[in-house]
Amino acid sequence: MRRHRFRRRLSMTSLIDVIFLLLLFFMLTSTFTRFSEIELTTAARSVPPGSEAAPLFLQLAADEVRLNGDTVALAALAEAVERAADAPADAPPRPVLVSLREGVTAQRLTDVLVAIRGVPNIAPTVLGAAS
């Protein structure tokens, strides 16, 4: 006599649990990501015509930041730029030329631009391309 096996129905509970956990994981990780905007202008618009102020020169490397040849910590960069750009409030923006060295990432450039974003009366211009 032949025995018939009956197939059990496949339970969807474990599959639903896995999908729920993945959904929960991606929702949580996306809430911890911070987004910010960096305003970039072209070189023609960043320096007003007839500006007689000497530009500040900011060299950005993968491991250091130099302002007019002096090494500056990233945390103290805004203060150093503000001191170097010392100008009256009604003066035209002082150009800040940001030169990128080999190995500078886009994140490193963004960190520097965020650091100097709050400095009044400056007009940063990026001279190279980040990798």
Side-chain angles (χ1 to χ4, degrees):
M1 189 173 210
R2 193 185 262 188
R3 227 170 141 183
H4 291 282
R5 284 190 158 181
F6 291 101
R7 286 188 157 182
R8 253 182 44 186
R9 285 184 129 178
L10 184 61
S11 174
M12 297 295 283
T13 306
S14 61
L15 181 62
I16 291 171
D17 287 346
V18 169
I19 291 172
F20 176 73
L21 288 173
L22 285 172
L23 180 66
L24 187 65
F25 171 75
F26 287 117
M27 286 173 55
L28 285 174
T29 57
S30 69
T31 59
F32 294 122
T33 306
R34 291 186 327 156
F35 293 101
S36 64
E37 294 180 3
I38 301 294
E39 183 179 329
L40 296 176
T41 57
T42 61
R45 286 188 45 205
S46 65
V47 181
S51 176
E52 296 178 14
L56 300 175
F57 190 62
L58 186 68
Q59 290 178 309
L60 180 60
D63 56 348
E64 74 174 349
V65 179
R66 293 175 155 260
L67 178 63
N68 291 336
D70 298 327
T71 302
V72 179
L74 186 60
L77 183 61
E79 185 179 311
V81 169
E82 191 168 2
R83 258 192 324 249
D86 187 31
D90 60 343
R94 182 123 182 230
V96 177
L97 304 177
V98 182
S99 172
L100 305 179
R101 287 192 173 166
E102 189 74 27
V104 174
T105 62
Q107 182 61 52
R108 178 85 167 145
L109 174 61
T110 304
D111 292 342
V112 167
L113 291 176
V114 166
I116 64 172
R117 174 171 50 188
V119 178
N121 242 9
I122 63 165
T125 301
V126 179
L127 299 177
S131 56

